[in-house]
Amino acid sequence: MKSKALALVALVAVIGSIAAPADGALGDVISSFPMSQARNIYRDVNYVYCVAGTNTLRQYTVNGSLVRTVSLPGLTNAGDADHSPLGPAYFGVLERSNRIFEYRLVSGSFVRSRPVGASTVGYAHFPGSPYYYTHTGAQIYRYTLAGSMVGSFDVSYSATVIAATGRFNDAAGEFVLVANRSTGRTTAYTGGGSIVRSFNVPGPAVGAVCGPGTGYTPKTTYWCAVPVGSDRFAYEIDLGNVNVAVEPASWGSVKAVFR
């Protein structure tokens, strides 16, 4: 039995080294691809999206291959996009007439709109959160899903876009990621406005969202759309979250040691 126990330790170590490649550091670029004319960016469990032109939703694989396009009725001046409280089949996009429009991803059909404050330029929500966030200039606003404002805080610089996540630098909580308008500096705040930590991205973002990462095992990463010359690129940025160490399927080999 002692030899089997030693074999188990060795096997787990081997599986761990295969199933859990070394994680990058906070702020590292994990992947990127061209996303021409992107006005924002959105990520669901399978694909990456952007709104291009007036109202065209483009769907990409995580490797940058265009899958399809669909029109979003009623959208005239798309801004920041993020998750919808309605669930994973939907997404929300800021319409610069000071509303958040929500659409079905599969069809592009309009579902509803919600009012936001005048001159709002950013919107963020992560699945399961009881709040969503908007920002105007240097002010971040926190709302319940029913639309009641419950707080705000000043980020002390002019921001472009925001994103939200329930996990940052491998800590659980409610975090708002705020992109600086003139640099690639992005700062994580708690939902109440306390600074957590900053990191750099390749340039000032025109869209940002937190969502599933690429790679062997899932973790939350930061997706941003950044101008590069005359084009725009989608960048996936490491948030310092840790991959799952061993895939569940691998435990079949571990159990075999004891047979």
Side-chain angles (χ1 to χ4, degrees):
M1 187 65 185
K2 182 178 179 180
S3 63
K4 289 183 177 181
L6 291 173
L8 174 61
V9 172
L11 182 58
V12 170
V14 171
I15 292 173
S17 66
I18 294 172
D23 287 291
L26 175 66
D28 282 357
V29 175
I30 298 173
S31 64
S32 66
F33 61 85
M35 186 179 269
S36 297
Q37 300 180 341
R39 303 187 65 160
N40 50 38
I41 190 169
Y42 178 69
R43 168 75 163 139
D44 69 5
V45 69
N46 294 312
Y47 298 100
V48 185
Y49 306 78
C50 76
V51 176
T54 301
N55 65 347
T56 300
L57 180 67
R58 292 180 175 175
Q59 178 183 4
Y60 295 86
T61 67
V62 294
N63 297 317
S65 297
L66 182 64
V67 177
R68 69 186 182 106
T69 62
V70 64
S71 294
L72 301 175
L75 197 62
T76 60
N77 191 8
D80 203 11
D82 218 302
H83 301 282
S84 166
L86 294 174
Y90 309 87
F91 86 112
V93 57
L94 186 65
E95 164 64 26
R96 296 294 175 87
S97 61
N98 302 318
R99 301 191 73 85
I100 297 169
F101 286 2
E102 290 170 276
Y103 295 90
R104 289 188 61 87
L105 279 167
V106 68
S107 63
S109 58
F110 177 82
V111 179
R112 68 175 184 179
S113 71
R114 291 178 283 153
V116 292
S119 304
T120 297
V121 292
Y123 162 66
H125 170 74
F126 70 87
S129 171
Y131 305 105
Y132 67 89
Y133 297 84
T134 67
H135 85 77
T136 303
Q139 197 76 17
I140 308 295
Y141 299 94
R142 187 188 202 187
Y143 294 87
T144 67
L145 299 187
S148 299
M149 192 177 75
V150 293
S152 65
F153 60 90
D154 191 345
V155 297
S156 301
Y157 57 83
S158 184
T160 52
V161 294
I162 56 176
T165 177
R167 195 160 198 89
F168 176 78
N169 210 19
D170 215 35
E174 183 100 6
F175 304 96
V176 186
L177 308 184
V178 184
N180 190 296
R181 180 177 296 278
S182 57
T183 71
R185 194 71 169 168
T186 299
T187 302
Y189 294 81
T190 65
S194 298
I195 294 177
V196 180
R197 188 170 173 180
S198 296
F199 58 96
N200 290 318
V201 301
V206 297
V209 65
C210 294
T214 57
Y216 193 76
T217 48
K219 61 179 182 178
T220 299
T221 55
Y222 180 69
W223 295 80
C224 55
V226 175
V228 178
S230 59
D231 207 347
R232 292 184 175 182
F233 273 65
Y235 284 95
E236 179 191 7
I237 307 296
D238 201 302
L239 286 182
N241 295 321
V242 177
N243 282 334
V244 178
V246 179
E247 273 200 322
S250 302
W251 288 106
S253 300
V254 175
K255 291 176 183 177
V257 174
F258 292 94
R259 291 175 183 168

